[in-house]
Amino acid sequence: VEHAAIYTPAGRALYYRRSWPGYPYQVTIPIGKTGLIQGNMFAHNHPRGESFSAEDIWILLRHGAHDVRVFEPERSFRIAASSSTRRFGWADQESGWREVELAYERAVASLGGRYAPLVQTGRMPPVQAWAAQTHAVVRKMAMRFGFLHREV
Ligand SMILES: [Zn+2]
């Protein structure tokens, strides 16, 4: 299952949620709780090993998380803002999200040619290929929107 939590920089848990039964790979922070993210850490796991989603990146760029961490079965990563990170404010809510989502989709599409043949020829299981593809997507997103991306 997927778990998500918001922590202060000092490590105090402000919020915790786990995925709903039947939806093991999805956990969301309710709109009313997104205010807790500002300046804090949003930590969650991806049981299938994929990297940050467009929504995870939006949490950093729009909701002002100090950092966002994802725990995969074998590795963990963080994304964090730097002085050159492009931020989106309340006024950019809709257009900003569309821009981030589109950039993510385009990166997925542009990298598909690298991974699809591996799956089609049976050299890589689909779940593993998707995980590798999303890691490459996030590296592109980090360059485009100027955030830090590190294994931790
Ligand atoms: Zn996520």
Side-chain angles (χ1 to χ4, degrees):
V1 298
E2 194 169 322
H3 307 267
I6 301 170
Y7 295 96
T8 66
R12 189 165 63 89
L14 298 177
Y15 184 75
Y16 166 76
R17 185 152 187 181
R18 57 168 285 165
S19 51
W20 294 103
Y23 297 91
Y25 305 124
Q26 265 192 317
V27 59
T28 53
I29 300 293
I31 296 294
K33 300 289 182 184
T34 53
L36 294 174
I37 292 167
Q38 173 81 41
N40 291 315
M41 181 204 290
F42 173 65
H44 67 310
N45 67 316
H46 283 178
R48 292 178 294 186
E50 75 271 29
S51 188
F52 298 94
S53 64
E55 288 82 358
D56 295 335
I57 292 168
W58 185 242
I59 283 172
L60 179 71
L61 302 180
R62 164 68 188 96
H63 296 294
H66 177 266
D67 67 332
V68 180
R69 296 196 187 198
V70 66
F71 296 88
E72 301 165 14
E74 291 170 10
R75 304 163 78 188
S76 303
F77 292 85
R78 79 185 276 254
I79 53 175
S82 74
S83 55
S84 58
T85 299
R86 179 136 172 242
R87 298 283 203 173
F88 294 91
W90 181 254
D92 307 319
Q93 180 96 318
E94 283 185 37
S95 61
W97 166 245
R98 275 197 303 275
E99 183 181 339
V100 169
E101 187 181 36
L102 192 61
Y104 198 96
E105 284 171 4
R106 283 192 177 140
V108 167
S110 74
L111 290 158
R114 190 186 296 176
Y115 297 98
L118 299 173
V119 173
Q120 283 154 10
T121 56
R123 282 177 286 166
M124 198 182 261
V127 169
Q128 193 187 331
W130 175 244
Q133 189 172 345
T134 57
H135 282 92
V137 165
V138 172
R139 285 193 291 275
K140 279 191 163 204
M141 294 291 283
M143 280 187 274
R144 173 164 178 165
F145 293 99
F147 57 83
L148 305 170
H149 175 228
R150 300 270 185 280
E151 186 161 2
V152 288

